[in-house]
Amino acid sequence: MKLTHKRLNHILTVIVVVGALYIVVAPYWPKITWVFKDKASGAPYAGQLRSETVKTGETKPLPRENHIVIPSALIDLPILEGSGIWVIDSGGSWRKNLYVSSPKDVGNTVIIAHRFTYNKPDSGFYHLDKVRVGDKLALYWQGEELIYTVTETKTVPDTALEVEKNTSDRTLTLYTCTPVITAENRLVV
């Protein structure tokens, strides 16, 4: 079978249309599928924090690596140190600098992650907007479970570096880009 110019044009048209559809739909696919997800099984420990499973008699081991778990947003993300793009592409990034503390210390621990990437659309902090004041989350850090309660969520400009400033008590600040496919603002929890 001979490949004619007309047939080649049809094949290339289909490839371009499918590629364009992927580029347009992929950023919103996790929002669409959120409705159909089983929220109880989508997060570790059956949608609970480890400390809650111990209360019910289901003792489960702590994660070996540093992780952040937010059951209300189905987030279970490894936490790595650094802010280079390779770190953020691999999970959450612990922003360690002069005024940001370790999670075990008093002060503000800052963790950032991508909201969306085309190679992993439903990873990172995509559903961070589902987190509400009063929700509990856990940071599994160096063999300990550190529990936090959300006290505030807000959107700030990308220049609002005050979200990383140190605090006088043990605080966890999470942030990512918002809206989904831009870096215009930051969603802060």
Side-chain angles (χ1 to χ4, degrees), residues 99-155:
Y99 51 85
V100 177
S101 68
S102 161
K104 290 185 176 183
D105 299 330
V106 171
N108 187 16
T109 300
V110 178
I111 297 174
I112 63 172
H114 283 305
R115 181 90 186 264
F116 169 80
T117 60
Y118 278 100
N119 59 343
K120 298 178 194 172
D122 200 3
S123 64
F125 282 164
Y126 189 94
H127 294 295
L128 195 62
D129 63 332
K130 305 286 191 257
V131 176
R132 300 290 178 249
V133 171
D135 287 354
K136 293 204 180 293
L137 60 98
L139 189 60
Y140 297 99
W141 192 264
Q142 299 173 349
E144 289 184 41
E145 181 184 50
L146 307 170
I147 303 293
Y148 295 86
T149 301
V150 176
T151 58
E152 180 182 21
T153 64
K154 61 185 175 182
T155 300

Side-chain angles (χ1 to χ4, degrees), residues 11 32 54 69 97 106 108 126 153 159 165 167 172-173 189:
I11 292 170
I32 295 165
V54 171
V69 174
N97 58 37
V106 171
N108 187 16
Y126 189 94
T153 64
T159 56
K165 285 192 177 173
T167 57
L172 178 63
T173 300
V189 173

Side-chain angles (χ1 to χ4, degrees), residues 28 115-116 155 177-186:
Y28 304 101
R115 181 90 186 264
F116 169 80
T155 300
C177 296
T178 197
V180 172
I181 58 173
T182 71
E184 182 180 335
N185 293 309
R186 301 294 180 259

Side-chain angles (χ1 to χ4, degrees), residues 25 27-37 126-127:
V25 173
Y28 304 101
W29 189 250
K31 275 190 191 302
I32 295 165
T33 59
W34 175 264
V35 176
F36 304 105
K37 286 190 178 184
Y126 189 94
H127 294 295

Side-chain angles (χ1 to χ4, degrees), residues 2-188:
K2 192 174 177 183
L3 187 63
T4 64
H5 289 290
K6 189 174 182 178
R7 181 169 287 198
L8 181 61
N9 282 342
H10 288 307
I11 292 170
L12 290 175
T13 301
V14 168
I15 291 171
V16 168
V17 168
V18 168
L21 282 172
Y22 176 74
I23 289 170
V24 170
V25 173
Y28 304 101
W29 189 250
K31 275 190 191 302
I32 295 165
T33 59
W34 175 264
V35 176
F36 304 105
K37 286 190 178 184
D38 180 4
K39 310 304 188 283
S41 65
Y45 312 118
Q48 300 176 327
L49 301 176
R50 182 185 178 276
S51 56
E52 293 172 345
T53 64
V54 171
K55 293 175 189 174
T56 62
E58 304 172 35
T59 306
K60 301 210 177 173
L62 286 167
R64 291 183 187 177
E65 295 85 27
N66 297 334
H67 268 258
I68 185 163
V69 174
I70 311 172
S72 61
L74 300 181
I75 293 173
D76 178 13
L77 198 60
I79 302 300
L80 307 168
E81 184 178 338
S83 58
I85 195 69
W86 70 271
V87 175
I88 299 170
D89 285 345
S90 301
S93 169
W94 171 39
R95 298 273 296 184
K96 182 179 178 183
N97 58 37
L98 294 177
Y99 51 85
V100 177
S101 68
S102 161
K104 290 185 176 183
D105 299 330
V106 171
N108 187 16
T109 300
V110 178
I111 297 174
I112 63 172
H114 283 305
R115 181 90 186 264
F116 169 80
T117 60
Y118 278 100
N119 59 343
K120 298 178 194 172
D122 200 3
S123 64
F125 282 164
Y126 189 94
H127 294 295
L128 195 62
D129 63 332
K130 305 286 191 257
V131 176
R132 300 290 178 249
V133 171
D135 287 354
K136 293 204 180 293
L137 60 98
L139 189 60
Y140 297 99
W141 192 264
Q142 299 173 349
E144 289 184 41
E145 181 184 50
L146 307 170
I147 303 293
Y148 295 86
T149 301
V150 176
T151 58
E152 180 182 21
T153 64
K154 61 185 175 182
T155 300
V156 298
D158 63 347
T159 56
L161 298 178
E162 65 272 7
V163 298
E164 292 192 11
K165 285 192 177 173
N166 211 1
T167 57
S168 58
D169 53 354
R170 195 165 58 100
T171 305
L172 178 63
T173 300
L174 313 173
Y175 71 87
T176 190
C177 296
T178 197
V180 172
I181 58 173
T182 71
E184 182 180 335
N185 293 309
R186 301 294 180 259
L187 173 61
V188 182

